[in-house]
RNA sequence: GGCGGCGUAGCCAAGUGGUAAGGCAGCGGUCUGCAAAACCGUUAUUCGCCGGUUCGAAUCCGGCCGCCGCCUCCA
């Protein structure tokens, strides 16, 4: 039986104990990308927070089934395809491919299913028809709208009152026929030049919200355990999903709503016009490592605004370096056989604090604090020569265990260097032996420029790759 | 206007009644040919401000100030 896991639920507005519908299994749905452009670091913050949640649930022993939708038909994709003079499919395929490349780089674990909207139109039509039959929806000029007045609980997620919604809202030019300005479209009537599908209630294309309801029900049935996304989705997107799904099935749609706060840049909302808009590709081309970016996006609590700055990114890389440097010591030094009780105790306590922290609504800062406390203790023990071989094995395996959740450690702690560089390092060691420090320092400077840092220790010279 | 969040050292950040974790950066020292890494010491008598409750408050209550988000299919 997994340990007690506390998580904030937007629906109740408080922290609750997580109990899935079926013991040991978690049905998780996360709002995926609209593939009309490259995803930006704000998107990735959400995906990484969701990834942390998923990895931690698995760490606790749950089987997690994860579905993430791909929105490949909406206003933006249609406009984009038209602007570039390509087909919708061709246009979205490009950004879908980029999305998968990016999440791979950031080590965001793959979902089990990635349904595309355009491949689930039949399911959407079925639900829309059902809503029409039950009187929750109505037709106007070929479009189908959801009547929010028919769903008494409308607003329960976002805590918005229906009456307040009538004030000060804009009515879109193509939706002026709605009964109520807040009713939202389930199906948009066919327009010239736009892709369309056939439905009993007329040709057209689906609205956005119906997509998530349909696809989550397809994989999970009427009720799922976790539905996640950015806070901006709370209203109207997730509110509308609840209205559609619960009206259709008559059953609770989602048990735990998990929402990730926004990322801002230098204290301001990210926007293209301000020039503070970064995609993963932008940062990688500046030389930052995906691991440092992941570490930064991971290291702030998911319900707090994360202020992205380059200073913070450098700090993340430096923090990560402290971890890998410590592991480097454990991997490269020689240790005597045996073990010490103190190390065993430290590992046990660290593992407990790490797990307890994350089990407390994913308190990542506290969990990382446990890791750094262990590192400090470990470095000191190294300094004093107190660590034994079995101790280092235990510590290392603890780190690799934690990394199943964090996924920030490098593939290999010790990296291979090309032969010519190894030659240079040997040449430098010769020079040092001969007290020819001019030569040795010149070689060290040269290698530094090439991204390799040399460290002279009692056991000889060793090297590391510089990571940004 | 409605709803919600935030304000802890130079920066990031944990801590929700018991006397301020951790990371980065800085400074002094040890080690080093010099560095790097690491270690030791140091950096908030104080948690936006003002009151109150309490033996005791960053934590609870009241007021004020500042910042931000949503209420526009933007994660």
């Amino acid at each position: 039986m997994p340990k007690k896991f506390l998580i904030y639920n937007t629906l109740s507005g408080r922290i609750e104990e997580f109990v899935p519908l079926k013991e040991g299994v978690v049905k998780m749905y996360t709002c995926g990308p609209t593939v009309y452009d490259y995803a930006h670091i704000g998107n990735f913050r959400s995906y990484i927070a969701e990834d942390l949640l998923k990895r931690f649930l698995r760490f606790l022993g749950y089987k997690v089934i994860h579905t993430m939708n791909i929105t490949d038909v909406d206003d933006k994709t249609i406009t984009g395809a038209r602007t570039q003079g390509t087909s919708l499919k061709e246009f979205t395929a490009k950004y879908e491919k980029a999305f998968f490349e990016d999440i791979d780089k950031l080590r965001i674990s793959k979902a089990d299913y990635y349904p595309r909207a355009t491949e689930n139109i039949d399911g959407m039509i079925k639900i829309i028809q059902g809503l029409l039959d039950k009187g929750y929806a109505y037709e106007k000029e070929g479009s189908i709208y959801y009547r929010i007045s028919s769903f008494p609980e409308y607003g329960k997620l976002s805590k918005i009152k229906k009456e307040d919604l009538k004030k000060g809202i804009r009515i879109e030019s193509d939706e002026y026929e709605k009964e109520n300005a807040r009713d939202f479209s389930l199906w948009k009537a066919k327009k010239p030049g736009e892709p369309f599908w056939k439905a009993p209630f007329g040709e057209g294309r689906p609205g956005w919200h119906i997509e998530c309801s349909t696809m989550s029900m397809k994989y999970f049935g009427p009720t799922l355990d976790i539905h996640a996304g950015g806070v901006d989705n709370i209203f109207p997107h997730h509110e509308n999903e609840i209205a559609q799904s619960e009206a259709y099935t008559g059953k609770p749609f989602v048990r735990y709503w998990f929402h990730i706060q926004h990322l801002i840049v230098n204290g301001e909302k990210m926007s293209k016009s301000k020039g503070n808009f970064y995609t993963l590709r932008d940062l990688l081309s500046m030389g930052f490592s995906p691991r440092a970016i992941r570490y930064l996006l991971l290291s702030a609590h998911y319900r707090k605004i994360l202020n992205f700055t380059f200073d913070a990114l450098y700090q993340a890389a430096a923090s990560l370096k402290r971890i890998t440097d410590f592991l480097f010591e454990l991997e490269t030094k020689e240790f005597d056989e045996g073990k010490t009780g103190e190390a065993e105790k430290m590992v046990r306590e660290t593992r407990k604090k790490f797990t307890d922290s994350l089990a407390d609504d994913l308190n990542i800062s506290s969990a990382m604090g446990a890791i750094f406390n262990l590192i400090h203790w470990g470095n000191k023990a190294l300094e004093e020569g107190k660590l034994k071989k079995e101790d280092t094995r235990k510590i290392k395996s603890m780190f690799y265990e934690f990394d199943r959740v964090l996924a920030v450690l490098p593939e290999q702690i010790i990296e291979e260097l090309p032969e010519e560089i190894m030659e240079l390092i040997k040449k430098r060691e010769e020079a040092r032996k001969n007290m020819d420090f001019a030569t040795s320092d010149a070689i060290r400077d040269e290698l530094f420029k090439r991204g390799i840092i040399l460290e002279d220790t009692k056991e000889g010279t060793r090297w590391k790759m510089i990571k940004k």
Side-chain angles (χ1 to χ4, degrees):
Chain A
M1 189 58 203
K3 108 185 244 100
K4 189 167 173 175
F5 176 38
L6 299 175
I7 187 168
Y8 181 85
N9 186 352
T10 309
L11 188 61
S12 65
R14 59 173 68 99
I15 289 172
E16 298 176 15
E17 181 178 352
F18 178 75
V19 181
L21 202 57
K22 187 177 165 197
E23 192 178 326
V25 182
V26 181
K27 297 172 177 180
M28 177 169 170
Y29 184 94
T30 58
C31 284
T34 301
V35 281
Y36 72 105
D37 198 355
Y38 295 111
H40 56 70
I41 52 173
N43 300 120
F44 291 121
R45 190 212 178 171
S46 287
Y47 304 145
I48 284 175
E50 290 157 0
D51 189 42
L52 174 68
L53 171 64
K54 181 166 110 180
R55 285 170 177 270
F56 185 62
L57 286 166
R58 288 186 172 152
F59 181 86
L60 290 178
Y62 288 103
K63 175 180 165 65
V64 181
I65 307 166
H66 178 203
T67 299
M68 178 184 253
N69 65 297
I70 305 281
T71 300
D72 59 353
V73 55
D74 79 322
D75 292 347
K76 283 173 299 201
T77 46
I78 292 169
T79 308
R82 186 182 295 149
T83 310
Q84 292 193 8
T86 58
S87 71
L88 183 66
K89 189 156 182 64
E90 206 175 324
F91 176 78
T92 57
K94 175 185 168 186
Y95 293 108
E96 188 183 303
K97 182 166 172 281
F99 168 74
F100 284 117
E101 285 167 7
D102 287 354
I103 62 169
D104 239 30
K105 285 211 174 72
L106 288 172
R107 296 192 193 167
I108 294 168
S109 59
K110 280 277 170 61
D112 299 283
Y113 307 102
Y114 286 104
R116 295 187 187 89
T118 54
E119 291 167 1
N120 288 276
I121 306 283
D122 288 349
M124 299 185 213
I125 289 171
K126 191 178 156 211
I127 293 175
I128 295 169
Q129 186 61 54
L131 291 170
L132 279 167
D133 294 345
K134 291 184 182 185
Y136 286 103
Y138 59 91
E139 184 269 332
K140 284 273 174 177
E141 309 215 324
S143 291
I144 311 295
Y145 297 100
Y146 186 95
R147 182 183 286 123
I148 65 166
S149 63
S150 67
F151 190 70
E153 292 182 296
Y154 193 84
K156 68 178 174 181
L157 180 71
S158 54
K159 324 291 185 237
I160 286 172
K161 294 190 183 80
K162 269 179 286 193
E163 309 80 69
D164 295 336
L165 290 175
K166 292 171 187 166
K167 296 178 199 156
I169 61 128
R170 197 183 63 189
I171 298 170
E172 286 177 37
S173 57
D174 60 337
E175 296 189 346
Y176 59 88
E177 287 296 341
K178 291 186 286 190
E179 287 177 5
N180 180 313
R182 279 298 170 173
D183 288 350
F184 56 91
S185 57
L186 296 166
W187 188 258
K188 299 189 177 196
K190 175 185 169 186
K191 280 192 228 167
E194 284 192 355
F196 67 91
W197 286 263
K198 283 183 181 160
F201 34 81
E203 293 175 339
R205 61 179 170 94
W208 177 40
H209 314 296
I210 196 66
E211 167 188 325
C212 288
S213 292
T214 305
M215 297 193 226
S216 60
M217 283 191 237
K218 173 178 175 181
Y219 294 96
F220 299 131
T223 305
L224 47 146
D225 294 302
I226 298 174
H227 191 128
V231 285
D232 54 325
N233 280 151
I234 295 172
F235 190 88
H237 186 48
H238 291 159
E239 193 68 61
N240 291 350
E241 279 186 49
I242 292 174
Q244 294 164 343
S245 308
E246 300 193 350
Y248 181 71
T249 66
K251 297 196 172 109
F253 178 46
V254 170
R255 295 165 61 78
Y256 301 90
W257 285 95
F258 180 86
H259 289 105
I260 300 102
Q261 253 302 347
H262 275 176
L263 171 150
I264 57 174
V265 175
N266 287 317
E268 291 183 315
K269 186 167 174 169
M270 188 165 33
S271 76
K272 286 183 179 168
S273 57
K274 281 180 186 156
N276 61 359
F277 189 93
Y278 299 108
T279 63
L280 179 64
R281 280 135 210 269
D282 294 334
L283 298 179
L284 294 180
S285 71
M286 291 166 141
F288 292 103
S289 75
R291 291 192 303 115
I293 297 165
R294 179 179 171 96
Y295 185 95
L296 174 62
L297 298 180
L298 192 65
S299 61
H301 186 78
Y302 74 94
R303 283 194 288 120
K304 289 214 166 175
I305 291 173
L306 172 63
N307 188 14
F308 177 90
T309 61
F310 284 100
D311 189 39
L313 191 46
Y314 281 112
Q315 288 183 14
S319 300
L320 205 43
K321 184 170 179 296
R322 181 162 165 86
I323 299 173
T324 50
D325 276 350
F326 175 62
L327 288 175
F328 187 89
E329 299 288 338
L330 297 185
E331 294 285 4
T332 53
K333 276 207 168 127
E334 297 285 325
F335 297 96
D336 294 337
E337 291 295 336
K339 61 176 180 178
T340 63
E342 199 184 346
E344 217 164 317
K345 182 165 168 267
M346 278 305 295
V347 168
R348 199 185 322 120
E349 284 172 2
T350 304
R351 183 178 277 117
K352 182 176 185 331
K353 189 175 174 208
F354 180 84
T355 313
D356 288 352
S357 298
L358 289 178
D360 181 14
D361 195 31
L362 300 177
N363 189 340
I364 187 78
S365 304
S366 174
M368 296 312 294
I371 289 181
F372 284 108
N373 280 330
L374 184 279
I375 289 175
H376 184 252
W377 171 85
N379 274 139
K380 203 171 166 179
L382 278 168
E383 190 82 2
E384 293 163 358
K386 287 198 312 205
L387 285 186
K388 297 278 203 288
K389 202 157 195 163
E390 188 54 32
D391 297 335
T392 66
R393 274 198 208 105
K394 284 218 169 77
I395 295 169
K396 282 188 286 183
S397 75
M398 183 197 76
F399 271 89
Y400 297 127
E401 192 186 323
F402 289 175
D403 206 49
R404 284 178 14 224
V405 179
L406 304 173
V408 292
L409 294 180
E411 304 280 331
Q412 43 190 166
I413 300 291
I414 305 159
E415 287 157 302
E416 308 272 320
L417 284 188
E419 199 54 40
E420 53 148 340
I421 303 238
M422 295 306 289
E423 285 301 318
L424 275 174
I425 292 173
K426 273 188 200 138
K427 207 171 133 192
R428 177 173 170 276
E429 284 191 275
E430 280 301 309
R432 285 189 74 228
K433 262 185 209 149
N434 301 327
M435 310 286 268
D436 179 4
F437 297 121
T439 303
S440 71
D441 288 354
I443 293 174
R444 187 169 63 191
D445 290 348
E446 169 59 24
L447 289 183
F448 185 81
K449 278 182 203 146
R450 292 161 78 165
I452 297 154
I453 193 150
L454 296 184
E455 300 179 359
D456 301 320
T457 71
K458 290 191 192 79
E459 293 83 27
T461 298
R462 68 188 192 187
W463 47 265
K464 294 170 183 167
M465 305 293 284
I466 297 170
K467 301 265 168 43
K468 201 156 105 169

